[in-house]
Amino acid sequence: MSDILTVLMLPTMRLDKFLCKSTELIKEEAIQCIHAGEVLVNGEVAQNEAMQVHENNVISLNGATLKTRDFRYILLNKPAETVCSNIDEVYPSLFHYLEVEKVSELHIAGRLDADTTGLVLITDDGRWSFNITSPQKACCKVYRVGLSRALTTDKANEITEKFAKGLQLQGEETLTLPAKLEIISPKEVLLTITEGRFHQVKRMFARVGNRVVSLHREQIGAVCLDVDVGQWRYLTKEEILSFGK
């Protein structure tokens, strides 16, 4: 029974994605190979590209056993007027700053708006990014927020209390999760949240009668931003493991 439970707990991946991560095939080519019966999973022909496979499976293509490439974990300091997308939109994609192969396999664990700057984490490990983005995991994200209206001591105390209890945002049925507010100056604060609703920080301050004029993410979990704007680096092993694996 314990062996069955262990298998059930292993992270899974679509078969076509496994082929792309273990060969030079693009998705369309991988699907063609699968449909042609060229792929075996544990000695059996597998012709469903959506089949879920895991690290204990033996997967081969035309007789050659496959092994996926190592996952990548990257920190980047996002400039303003870039988008957290693999393709250019109104603004250019921040992926232009990365000098790595197979950029299309990467995704961002917690996107930022085009005008928001700072720390983004980039990976091709879906389970790892879930540990960062899921509210259930309570991963803290710290933002430095510039405000249009100065906060008096009384107002700062009032907002701090409201954020700690949770806010009812317009169009939302549930309160925001408890958030921590630290006052740096009358027009600058640090806000720590554990979720990432649509335009959440801006909407939270709008709800209490203020407006965000600058927004910069400084920290995610135990990982702090430590590179210049537009620069990037790979995470250390300790940083990767701090989010769970």
Side-chain angles (χ1 to χ4, degrees):
M1 179 64 73
S2 61
D3 290 340
I4 295 175
L5 290 175
T6 299
V7 169
L8 290 175
M9 293 174 65
L10 289 172
T12 61
M13 180 186 302
R14 282 175 57 109
L15 182 58
D16 54 357
K17 184 176 180 181
F18 183 96
L19 260 66
C20 292
K21 276 199 64 62
S22 56
T23 69
E24 298 302 314
L25 298 174
I26 62 173
K27 183 176 181 178
E28 291 76 13
E29 294 170 336
I31 292 174
Q32 288 176 3
C33 291
I34 294 168
H35 289 178
E38 298 172 0
V39 179
L40 302 184
V41 177
N42 299 328
E44 303 272 342
V45 174
Q47 293 183 289
N48 179 4
E49 67 271 18
M51 177 183 181
Q52 296 293 312
V53 296
H54 55 73
E55 60 191 36
N56 282 6
N57 293 140
V58 177
I59 302 170
S60 61
L61 172 63
N62 292 323
T65 301
L66 304 179
K67 184 181 183 303
T68 59
R69 294 181 288 276
D70 291 337
F71 287 119
R72 293 170 289 177
Y73 308 91
I74 295 169
L75 172 156
L76 184 144
N77 189 344
K78 177 187 177 296
E81 299 185 347
T82 58
V83 291
C84 292
S85 170
N86 292 71
I87 60 174
D88 295 333
E89 298 176 4
V90 176
Y91 296 107
S93 166
L94 61 78
F95 282 91
H96 289 302
Y97 290 92
L98 293 181
E99 299 171 355
V100 298
E101 296 182 349
K102 297 188 178 294
V103 172
S104 62
E105 294 183 358
L106 298 168
H107 66 270
I108 293 171
R111 296 186 174 195
L112 296 176
D113 298 335
D115 60 346
T116 302
T117 61
L119 173 59
V120 293
L121 297 179
I122 303 171
T123 185
D124 48 7
D125 184 346
R127 183 179 65 154
W128 184 81
S129 61
F130 176 80
N131 292 338
I132 296 171
T133 58
S134 172
Q136 297 176 347
K137 299 296 183 178
C139 178
C140 292
K141 293 90 175 176
V142 182
Y143 294 84
R144 184 173 293 270
V145 187
L147 301 172
S148 64
R149 298 178 60 182
L151 299 176
T152 63
T153 300
D154 289 344
K155 189 65 174 177
N157 290 337
E158 176 189 340
I159 294 175
T160 299
E161 184 176 345
K162 286 183 177 181
F163 281 14
K165 291 180 178 179
L167 290 175
Q168 185 82 50
L169 300 180
Q170 185 175 3
E172 302 271 358
E173 294 184 359
T174 58
L175 298 178
T176 57
L177 294 177
K180 179 183 178 183
L181 188 68
E182 300 174 64
I183 309 301
I184 305 301
S185 70
K187 286 191 174 184
E188 187 176 53
V189 300
L190 290 180
L191 178 66
T192 302
I193 60 177
T194 57
E195 54 185 342
R197 304 189 191 192
F198 181 70
H199 294 322
Q200 180 172 342
V201 176
K202 296 173 183 176
R203 294 167 67 204
M204 288 176 70
F205 281 99
R207 183 69 178 81
V208 295
N210 215 318
R211 183 170 63 87
V212 173
V213 296
S214 64
L215 188 57
H216 179 80
R217 187 159 63 191
E218 296 188 341
Q219 184 174 345
I220 300 177
V223 177
C224 297
L225 187 61
D226 59 0
V227 298
D228 293 335
V229 176
Q231 299 300 304
W232 63 277
R233 67 172 175 84
Y234 288 106
L235 295 186
T236 65
K237 182 179 180 179
E238 291 73 20
E239 289 172 329
I240 296 167
L241 294 176
S242 70
F243 296 106
K245 282 289 291 164

